[in-house]
Amino acid sequence: MSTSRRSTRAGTRLTPRQTLLLIAVLLVIWVGRQLTRPEPAEPPVIGESTATAVAATSTVAPATAAPTATPKVTRQAAPLPAASQEPVTGLREIIVLHTNDEHGYLLPTENQKSWRGGAGYAAAIWLANGHNPHDPATNTLLLSGGDSWTGPAISTWFEGEPVVEVMNALGYRATVIGNHEFDFGRDVLIKRIGQAQYPYLAANLYREGTTETPDWVQPYLLTEVNGVTVGIIGLAYENTPSVTSTLNLTGLEFGDYAPALEHWVPVVREQGAEVLVVLSHIPGQDLVVLAEQVKELDIALFLGGHDHRTRTSASGGALVATSGGSWEDYIQVRLVYDPATQQVVESEQETISVAVNKSDDSRTPPAEVSAILDKWAERVDVVLGEVIGYTAKGIDRRSAEMHNLLVDSWLWAYPSATVAMSNTGGFRAGIDQGEITVGDVVGVFPFDNSLLALDVTGEQLQAVLQKAGDAIVVGGVRQKGNKITLKDGTPLKPDGVYQLLVTDYMYYSDDYPFQKYDPEPYETSILWRQPVIDWIKAQHSTEAQPIEALIDDAAWSQN
Ligand SMILES: [Zn+2]
């Protein structure tokens, strides 16, 4: 039986290119033996030691390598199964690492004893676990579920460029078009795609009125891991137009998921894919439904994004996973493919938390990543010195001006919202008289909270306002005695539905009932201070026309 399989493979599968590769493989095995290379940390093939040696050294590449040259490992090297010599009976292990909604959180948060999150520490952990996306011998496939930028200054002030640079250095093999990929406009997105050493996938993103993929996106990627051809099909979130500025989506359409998969899966299989992965920006709960819906397509793994909720589950015979975002955790999937039966015979996944004890020096970010982060952190410092406006009198931390500056800037940035609410505890400093810098605003609002938009009824809003009293500041409504009106004087309707902006801090706080009111808020991923900076800049205030003349100085609850 093994003989017949051997001859079948040799007869039908060896193209001239493969023959060349095979020669290269054999050459490199020989080179490898001369150089006594160390064994890889994890055997790429399970259960067959001869095949292990072949696969480990076949990740090579220049076919012209002189026998004394160090074999150069390349990411795209396609390890050929040792087809003509040995039957491919060994099981093949594939490690998939997945992050999504990284949102520019390149740097970790720090407390006294540990580091939490951050691109560098995520890499430190997967490298310590023996999974190196740059080293084909570790069979590691690093993927992102999109929404990689928009977040802290190190990402947002440079329109995502530092994120792409870091993701290149980390060795991402593919990502997908998330809604936030459009945040800086389509031209910037296309520029970032040009800088990325990995493709942006979306099989359900079409030119309006067609089923053609725009030329800056590709529907799928075929890639080799441990001698197995993995087909990765991308899916954008079908509701992208309702969660991003439609200005950036002119001429584009986001189609249904299942028809896109039904179209592309046969194409990808025809091109040689042995294991199929869906890489998407689809929230976990929708992805579970999709996996069941298309179970006959025999897709091994569905990876999602967008909802910032860590989930590992199974549906329709496939694994389904999303990570929580911000590189605070990642999903580690292990697939075992049997070339003999052409089936994934084992699959498992786990969530790895990115938390590193400061005393643990076995987990340090790769030097190349640290260098990139240091470079951009320095540039952030320069940005913090940027002058954005002028105040003649200064703005006191506890003044109505400061409170209104915050909540009114949110309503300015998000005109669809009616009400904006913040707790007063978040205001940490005043702004001194004179020039206002970006750093001054960061000093007032130092915490990296982001804005959420949720739907509440007038009755719910009234209850929160009355209970919170002086602990909050509010924009968009006025309070006279017990009566709350909108700014234009219209009374709040108890059964009316209003969009409310709050910080994620308030939303998740036990002090407020927001999670109960709207369990699925829209996460803007915009830091709460960013609209303040943008609004001050837009006023072009000067010594002759200081900013305070433009800020509402009436406390929301006292007129
Ligand atoms: Zn998203």
Side-chain angles (χ1 to χ4, degrees), residues 101 147 179-180 281 306:
D101 296 79
D147 277 7
N179 50 302
H180 283 288
H281 194 65
H306 189 67

Side-chain angles (χ1 to χ4, degrees), residues 75 133-134 140-143 166-174 198:
R75 200 174 73 176
H134 288 296
T140 305
L141 179 58
L142 175 60
L143 302 173
V166 167
M167 287 175 67
N168 282 339
L170 294 176
Y172 277 85
R173 197 105 47 117
Y198 47 88

Side-chain angles (χ1 to χ4, degrees), residues 403 406-407 420-427 464-474 479 503 505-506 509 511-512 514 528 556-558:
H403 293 164
L406 180 72
V407 288
M421 191 185 295
S422 172
N423 60 322
T424 51
F427 296 77
V464 171
L465 294 174
Q466 281 170 351
K467 182 158 182 272
D470 289 346
I472 55 169
V473 293
V474 186
Q479 182 170 299
T503 59
Y505 171 81
M506 278 182 80
S509 162
D511 295 343
Y512 303 96
F514 297 131
W528 65 320
W556 81 276
S557 58
Q558 290 168 6

